[in-house]
Amino acid sequence: MERLSAWVHGNVQGVGFRWWTRSRALELGLVGYASNHADGRVHVVAEGPRPQLEALLNALRSDETPGRVDLVVEDFLAARSDLHSFVER
């Protein structure tokens, strides 16, 4: 189990991006959250097996997202096991 921290840059607020991300994460069996930040970015944190985390990361970078993603900056960390569902914050 690992933890993905991904900062998503672009036009990703007010377009259903967090809801869409939550749906993809739940389909992949991941737990975590997607939260808006004042600077316009969305922070996505997810925990689960590495292949599913990479699938979520690929989805975040795809042309299928709501809005427009310009850049995704990711980091893989050790899982903390402190998340129990996937929520929008």
Side-chain angles (χ1 to χ4, degrees), residues 7-13 35-43 70:
W7 290 94
V8 184
H9 302 247
N11 179 26
V12 290
Q13 290 190 12
S35 63
N36 285 341
H37 284 260
D39 62 5
R41 296 179 298 167
V42 170
H43 188 207
D70 295 331

Side-chain angles (χ1 to χ4, degrees), residues 44-83:
V44 177
V45 174
E47 286 193 358
R50 181 71 176 246
Q52 283 85 344
L53 294 174
E54 289 180 354
L56 178 61
L57 186 58
N58 289 336
L60 295 175
R61 290 187 167 131
S62 75
D63 292 335
E64 298 174 8
T65 65
R68 184 193 75 250
V69 174
D70 295 331
L71 174 68
V72 179
V73 179
E74 82 279 355
D75 192 16
F76 287 95
L77 311 160
R80 295 184 195 166
S81 301
D82 59 346
L83 304 167

